[in-house]
Each structure stands twice: as C-alpha cells, then as structure tokens.
Amino acid sequence: MSRRRITIRDVAERADVSISTVSHAFSGGRPISSATKDRITRAAAELGYEPNPSARSLRTGRSGIVGLILRPRFALAGTSDRAETFNRLVGSVATEALRRKTGLIHVPDIDDPRAAKVPMDGCIVAHPYSGDRVLTEVLHRRIPVVTVEEDPQRPELPWAVRLDYPPVVTRLLDHLREQHASDVMLLTGTESNAWNVRTRESYRAWCEHNGVPVRIDELSEGLTHGEAAQLIGPLLAAPDRPDAIVVATSDFAALIAKLAATQGVRVPEELMIASLTDSEHSRTAEPAITAMDLNHESLAKEAVELMLARIDDAAEPEQPVVISPVLHLRASTQRPRH
Amino acid sequence: MSRRRITIRDVAERADVSISTVSHAFSGGRPISSATKDRITRAAAELGYEPNPSARSLRTGRSGIVGLILRPRFALAGTSDRAETFNRLVGSVATEALRRKTGLIHVPDIDDPRAAKVPMDGCIVAHPYSGDRVLTEVLHRRIPVVTVEEDPQRPELPWAVRLDYPPVVTRLLDHLREQHASDVMLLTGTESNAWNVRTRESYRAWCEHNGVPVRIDELSEGLTHGEAAQLIGPLLAAPDRPDAIVVATSDFAALIAKLAATQGVRVPEELMIASLTDSEHSRTAEPAITAMDLNHESLAKEAVELMLARIDDAAEPEQPVVISPVLHLRASTQRPRH
DNA sequence: ACAGTGAGTCAAAACGTTTTGACTGCCGTA
DNA sequence: TACGGCAGTCAAAACGTTTTGACTCACTGT
C-alpha cells in the first residue's frame, strides 16, 4: 500500500536530469544553471523528496548525530533524586543540541548485542564510573568521546568538562565550622564516580588541614528510603552523634531531616545537614537544606560545545573545561544568632 | 593517523571466508559451520569490528531509532514550569526507549534546512498544536508517527495516546463548588494544543451544565512573570474578583498565590487557586496548590510502546490509548471547616 | 544407481547517496 | 586562429551492509 520511498532518482527523472545534477543542485557542489535548479527544486517539492540520511551518512561518513550515555543509568535506578538529576541533564543536553541543530541520541546499552546500534559522530559520556566499562568500549571503537566529569582512573582525557569540587566543598565545611560545628561527618555514596571520589578527597584534605578527625561513612545510592532509615536512625540516637552531617544525595539529606524531627533532634541547632546534590528534596525539606548544585545546565552546554568542536576536528584542548558547582546555603546550616 | 574503519571485508579476509558468510554468521540468516563461525567471531573480536549502522539501515530500511519531537519546544521557551514538563517528558521517554533497547533521537527542527537530517523508523510528536506544521510535514514524509495528545484539528489519528480531561476537570470544578466557590474563573493558555483546547471545553460544558456564567481569560504562556503580574494584580484588586481561579500553568498559579499574599487576599478563604499542570511550583507554593498532573510518565510509556508496535507492523488500533490525568487536591482549595 | 534434500559457502545485486573525472560548448585572450 | 578556462552536465565509482540465487558436497531413501 505505502509506495516506495522517493529517491533522488525519481527527482532526477522528473526534472529530466542526471542524479548527480540533482545532488549538486542541493549541496551546491558544482554550479548548476538556475533554470535547471528551478526544475529540480520543483520536482523535489512535488514528489516530497527527502534525502535518505543513512545513504548520505554511509557515503560521507558523518551522521550529524551526537550520542549521549549516562552512567549510571540514573533513571533506571529509580530514586527520585536520581530521576531529577537524569531529567535535568538529559533535558539540558537535548536543549543545547537542538539549538545547535544537531541530532542527539540516547544510546542503548552499548555492549548489549540485542540493543540497536546507532550511527553517531561522537558520544558524550556523563558521570563515568572509575574505569568505566562502557567508556572503555567507546574508546576502543575509536568513537570521538567527550566526558562530563572524568573517569577517576582516566583523568588525563583532555576532551572533558569537569566540576571543580575542592573550593566548594572547602567553602561548605568552613561554613559549617563558622556555624560552630565541631564534629562534621561525611556520608558518602558508594559508586566510584568522580563526584564521590573527589568530594571525599576534599573532605579528607580539609580535615587534615584543620586538624580534625576524619569521620566517613558510606550510604549506598541503591538503598531504599526504608533501608537508609534503618541505618540513619541509630546514628542520630547515638551518644557520639555528629553535630553536622554532609550527605551525598539530597533525598537522603531530606530523609535525615525528617528522621531528626521524629527523634526530637533539632535542625540546625543540634544537627546541621548539607547535601552534595541539589534537588526538589533539599529545596523543600523542612528546614530547607544547604546543598551543592552540580550545575548540570552548564555541564551540558559545555559538553555539547566541546563535542561539536571535536567532531569539527578542532585541536585537542590543553585542559578540560572546568565548571564550578554552586553552593546554596539554606536554613539547615544557619544557626540562629545568639 | 587514525586508521580506516574496520569493515566486514576485513573480517572476511582475516577469517578467510566471503563477506556474505560473515554476515550470515552474525545475523544467522543461513547455517554456518561452527568451525567457520568460530574463526569469524575471533577475527571480528581481534579487529574490533562493529557493523556500520548507516550501511546496515540503508540496506534493511530500518534504523532501530525512534524520533522525538516536542511541540512546542518547551525548553527553548524557557519558563521553569515548561522546563520541568520538558525534562520530565523527555526523561520518561528516554528511560522507556532505553528499556526497550531502542535508540531515541531528539529531532532537530524538521523543516530547517540547516538542521541535521536523521534516520528514524518512526517519530513521536508530543503536544502538537492545532494543525501543527511539523506534524503535517512528518505525515507528508510518510514517517510512521505516534502523537502524545492529539492535534485538535486531526483528532482522528488512531496512533495516539491522549489524556482524558473532562472527568478530571469536572471533578476539580465540582470540588471547588463543594468548597463553596461560586464564581470560578478560568485563566487559560493561548496555545492551541489539546491541553488548552480540551480543558477550556470541559470548563465551558461544566458551566453550562451547572448554569453558571462562563468566565474565561487568557494568559499567554509566553509572558514573563513580571508581565503576568501586571495583568493579575488588577484582577485580584477588582470588585468582581472571582472566588476561585483555575489557571493553566502552575508557575502562574504560584505567582497568583504570591500576589494574593502581597495584596492581603487570603488563600483559600477568599480565593481558591488551582492549576492545570503540576510542578515544583504548585507543590511548594504557600499554600500548596491543587493541581492536575499530566502524568507524563504514563504518556511516555504508552507512546513508546505504541511506536514500537507500529514499526513492527501491528494492526492499526481502533482507539487511541487513553490516560487519565491525576488530580492532586492541596491546601489552596481546601477551605477550613467552619 | 539416482533423484532429492539440506548444510555450507560464494558471488553479485541491491540500498540511495556524494564525489570525481570527463565531456561539451562557449567566451575571452594572445 | 588557437587555446586555456569556466559553466553546466553526465556516468561511474565508491560507501558497507544484507539478501538472494546458485553452486558443491555429502547423505538419504528408493
């Protein structure tokens, strides 16, 4: 029922020229008399001709499409904090790609043989794990890649945009100390991405520099709120409860605030809370929670720009692009004046 | 420097077979002796061979990629209410596509000649305008399309998933009346998508059915908050101020709540507010605002499913898939008992 | 002994472009 | 008059797959 696709051949026939002439008329590769060009344009319009992108990119070796791979697959993991991160990053990258008239494609799991293979000129890999398998695969296939946040095991890749954590983490910890916190605990995530690795390092360095003991515990990103509550409850009741907690994800931060309220621990008077990710949870918790915003919009914008430059054979940059996270100080760490 | 791409030819040569044999070994089109298959697999692995997706889809006529077009281009428009809608929808569609091992591509403006053309087996068009230009173009090119929300001028397209507004809008208006609203005003958007069109119809029908006067005003989605405030301020101060306002976008709803507070109009006692979209604005406004949630996650899931079925040559459905919006009743419309 | 069958392989023909070399007139210049 | 060059066009060769028809064996059943 549905007729054959219209090809350049149909257009050529209708305009009574050769197919190469049609091609030239569109791409401007060679001069074409305006009369002929008119006929071709008309024929193409009448037929509803659109060049076949696969044929074109097979021939030219370019698809005009940029791939996007998020590590971990935030959304599939499913907590709402992750969903917000995922959505914000994906949305920003999509917006930026669209603005640049580039197709953006979400790449199905690249080493799943059942997954569709997609043509892409390059690929953005966001938040790789340490020694990330998928990143390895992409590099192995010689696909031009730009990373958002570096793979901690491969910090040397110059085509990257990364976040500069130390100053911001230091600022946060200094702030807590100014607010008279004396025992700041870090509840870090368990995944091996740069966010966890670097913020932990920064915390350690700060402790050392200030001569205070390091107090780190891990809270897996995979935990349900119920499971996390089981772990956090005792901590809040313990005699050596810290007077400030910096927790990786904002939904767990909000959870801690809630548990504290339940257990009668006053925030921020007896316990300050801050998170290393910002989301609706931290913004709307009671009290609102101080948080570091990863600035996904800027990351996305720079990543797309870098990718396009790279595809366009720009020279390898000396340095990765560096973005600064944004610190939002909120009520959860502002002790009332006394 | 970077060597030629590895092709099926290289693999064939290395395994000392013909290229068709290699192809069959991978696709299983014909039986291949296990010895040969082994040699081929090994050769492919050693060479790091990956089939060229463009060549493959040129030949087969399938790319394994689904396109996504959002109308309007929410994110580019830029209000934060839109950004959330955009992000949520894009995120959900991406998640679902990934789960189904399909590539999902954001299609650059389809009638911009400068924009990259992309190979797609089908295309999801979300929230088309009335008589949408882009939808026309896609149909004209005979690309299989699934719409999220119908084009009001083309309600007959069966490959669609749509929202069932009337029951929910009716429920909302009934609720307002139960809360003793006697003068309910609708502040509708100006765009011609189904959301605006259908909710307006539902409101009209409800007014008629209940014998109350229709009171509709328009508030363009494009307005800045400053501009919107200029329009809303006088309305709240006017002697014939309604005692309930249903406003299309939730950010404007939150704005109204703020203006009401400034002008000393008590919510919900003197003025009830509800919105026809849910977002962080409505959830976290003071008081929290009753809102209709468009249930983007379900829309996305069904749309992807429908698209895949359509590509797979499933029979044309009798009816569009119908999703129900979710009504969140919140403080802004709950009058305290008296 | 022989047709029929199935496994295993190959060669060649698409798929729809872009690009290149070559051809034809024609104009301007030496 | 001869000649280089340019505008305008065409034919043919890629690009890297999948698919199909055909071929060769070996094996089966009669």
Side-chain angles (χ1 to χ4, degrees):
Chain A
M1 170 185 119
S2 88
R3 274 211 347 274
R4 223 182 74 264
R5 247 197 92 116
I6 307 293
T7 79
I8 200 174
R9 197 154 270 114
D10 303 310
V11 178
E13 199 167 319
R14 176 153 195 149
D16 200 33
V17 293
S18 75
I19 61 165
S20 42
T21 304
V22 175
S23 178
H24 288 136
F26 281 123
S27 66
R30 293 261 175 105
I32 299 287
S33 78
S34 62
T36 318
K37 193 178 281 184
D38 276 3
R39 248 180 314 135
I40 293 177
T41 323
R42 201 159 348 107
E46 286 164 5
L47 261 34
Y49 167 71
E50 268 311 304
N52 177 323
S54 297
R56 196 202 283 263
S57 56
L58 171 58
R59 177 59 229 227
T60 62
R62 279 217 183 317
S63 65
I65 299 177
V66 170
L68 175 63
I69 299 181
L70 262 74
R71 306 286 297 162
R73 297 226 172 273
F74 288 103
L76 302 182
T79 77
S80 55
D81 181 76
R82 297 211 145 186
E84 180 171 327
T85 298
F86 176 87
N87 288 350
R88 232 176 105 194
L89 189 55
V90 168
S92 314
V93 174
T95 303
E96 185 63 16
L98 254 26
R99 230 176 43 77
R100 305 300 220 85
K101 318 217 175 284
T102 305
L104 175 77
I105 190 165
H106 299 266
V107 181
D109 224 348
I110 203 157
D111 38 358
D112 181 341
R114 290 179 27 201
K117 297 291 181 289
V118 303
M120 48 184 175
D121 296 341
C123 186
I124 295 175
V125 177
H127 303 293
Y129 293 116
S130 183
D132 198 304
R133 211 180 72 246
V134 164
L135 183 53
T136 307
E137 178 69 20
V138 173
L139 289 168
H140 179 238
R141 291 204 201 154
R142 301 157 156 276
I143 298 173
V145 57
V146 164
T147 63
V148 170
E149 288 275 68
E150 78 277 14
D151 173 343
Q153 268 182 45
R154 279 175 279 216
E156 75 290 356
L157 292 178
W159 294 97
V161 24
R162 57 161 73 171
L163 286 162
D164 188 24
Y165 294 112
V168 179
V169 171
T170 303
R171 192 138 38 89
L172 169 61
L173 294 170
D174 284 345
H175 163 74
L176 293 176
R177 208 175 45 167
E178 280 161 23
Q179 300 289 321
H180 309 293
S182 60
D183 183 11
V184 181
M185 178 176 197
L186 176 68
L187 240 40
T188 187
T190 56
E191 282 172 354
S192 58
N193 51 37
W195 171 61
N196 275 324
V197 173
R198 298 265 179 265
T199 52
R200 209 176 310 161
E201 279 172 7
S202 303
Y203 168 79
R204 280 215 156 86
W206 184 85
C207 289
E208 187 155 337
H209 182 262
N210 287 271
V212 301
V214 169
R215 199 169 167 195
I216 295 185
D217 222 335
E218 293 197 337
L219 205 56
S220 164
E221 289 89 346
L223 295 178
T224 65
H225 281 198
E227 293 164 346
Q230 300 256 318
L231 265 45
I232 295 165
L235 176 67
L236 297 185
D240 66 338
R241 178 186 67 222
D243 53 7
I245 299 184
V246 175
V247 56
T249 65
S250 62
D251 56 336
F252 287 156
L255 178 65
I256 294 178
K258 192 155 31 159
L259 291 174
T262 317
Q263 299 184 217
V265 178
R266 286 172 302 147
V267 176
E269 292 81 355
E270 298 173 273
L271 176 68
M272 292 193 267
I273 304 176
S275 82
L276 297 177
T277 254
D278 196 21
S279 79
E280 185 172 348
H281 299 284
S282 43
R283 290 188 293 270
T284 66
E286 189 52 48
I289 295 171
T290 288
M292 181 172 77
D293 181 340
L294 265 34
N295 207 345
H296 301 287
E297 290 75 13
S298 301
L299 287 174
K301 183 152 174 295
E302 295 292 340
V304 172
E305 188 150 333
L306 220 50
M307 184 81 258
L308 261 27
R310 175 155 201 193
I311 290 175
D312 216 29
D313 283 326
E316 178 163 301
E318 307 272 318
Q319 304 281 339
V321 175
V322 174
I323 301 282
S324 182
V326 176
L327 188 60
H328 298 290
L329 296 180
R330 302 204 179 96
S332 71
T333 62
Q334 317 258 23
R335 290 232 167 116
R337 298 276 175 76
H338 49 183
Chain B
M1 173 185 114
S2 88
R3 272 208 350 272
R4 223 180 75 263
R5 248 197 91 116
I6 308 294
T7 80
I8 200 175
R9 197 154 269 115
D10 303 311
V11 179
E13 200 166 319
R14 177 152 193 151
D16 202 31
V17 292
S18 76
I19 61 166
S20 41
T21 304
V22 176
S23 178
H24 288 136
F26 282 122
S27 67
R30 294 261 174 105
I32 299 287
S33 77
S34 63
T36 318
K37 195 179 277 184
D38 276 3
R39 248 180 314 135
I40 293 176
T41 322
R42 200 160 348 108
E46 286 165 4
L47 261 32
Y49 168 72
E50 269 310 305
N52 178 323
S54 297
R56 195 202 284 263
S57 56
L58 171 59
R59 178 58 231 228
T60 62
R62 280 216 182 318
S63 65
I65 300 177
V66 170
L68 175 63
I69 300 182
L70 263 73
R71 307 284 297 161
R73 295 228 171 271
F74 289 103
L76 302 181
T79 78
S80 55
D81 181 75
R82 298 211 143 186
E84 181 172 327
T85 299
F86 175 88
N87 288 349
R88 231 175 108 196
L89 188 55
V90 167
S92 314
V93 174
T95 302
E96 185 62 16
L98 253 26
R99 230 175 45 75
R100 306 299 222 85
K101 317 217 177 284
T102 306
L104 176 76
I105 190 165
H106 299 267
V107 181
D109 224 346
I110 203 159
D111 38 357
D112 181 342
R114 290 179 29 201
K117 297 292 181 288
V118 302
M120 48 183 174
D121 295 341
C123 186
I124 296 176
V125 177
H127 302 293
Y129 293 116
S130 183
D132 200 302
R133 210 180 73 246
V134 164
L135 183 54
T136 306
E137 178 70 18
V138 173
L139 289 168
H140 179 237
R141 292 204 199 153
R142 302 156 155 276
I143 298 173
V145 58
V146 164
T147 62
V148 170
E149 289 273 69
E150 79 277 14
D151 173 343
Q153 270 182 44
R154 281 175 278 215
E156 75 289 357
L157 294 177
W159 294 97
V161 24
R162 58 162 73 172
L163 287 163
D164 189 24
Y165 294 113
V168 180
V169 172
T170 304
R171 193 137 39 88
L172 170 60
L173 294 170
D174 284 344
H175 162 76
L176 293 176
R177 209 177 44 167
E178 278 161 24
Q179 300 290 321
H180 309 293
S182 59
D183 182 11
V184 180
M185 177 175 197
L186 175 67
L187 241 39
T188 186
T190 55
E191 282 172 355
S192 57
N193 51 36
W195 171 61
N196 276 323
V197 172
R198 297 265 179 265
T199 53
R200 210 176 309 161
E201 278 172 8
S202 303
Y203 169 79
R204 279 216 156 84
W206 182 86
C207 289
E208 189 155 336
H209 182 261
N210 286 273
V212 302
V214 170
R215 197 168 168 195
I216 295 185
D217 223 335
E218 295 197 334
L219 205 57
S220 164
E221 289 90 346
L223 295 178
T224 65
H225 280 198
E227 293 164 347
Q230 299 256 319
L231 264 45
I232 294 165
L235 175 66
L236 297 185
D240 66 339
R241 178 186 69 221
D243 54 8
I245 299 183
V246 174
V247 55
T249 65
S250 62
D251 56 336
F252 287 157
L255 177 65
I256 294 178
K258 192 153 35 157
L259 291 173
T262 317
Q263 298 183 219
V265 177
R266 284 173 304 146
V267 177
E269 291 81 356
E270 298 174 273
L271 175 69
M272 291 194 268
I273 304 176
S275 81
L276 297 177
T277 255
D278 196 22
S279 78
E280 185 172 348
H281 299 285
S282 43
R283 289 189 292 271
T284 67
E286 190 51 50
I289 294 171
T290 287
M292 181 172 78
D293 181 339
L294 265 33
N295 207 345
H296 301 288
E297 289 75 13
S298 302
L299 287 175
K301 183 151 174 299
E302 296 293 340
V304 171
E305 189 150 332
L306 220 49
M307 184 81 260
L308 261 27
R310 174 155 204 193
I311 290 175
D312 216 28
D313 283 325
E316 179 164 301
E318 306 273 315
Q319 303 282 339
V321 176
V322 174
I323 301 283
S324 180
V326 176
L327 187 59
H328 298 290
L329 296 180
R330 302 205 180 95
S332 70
T333 62
Q334 316 260 24
R335 289 227 168 120
R337 301 273 176 77
H338 49 184

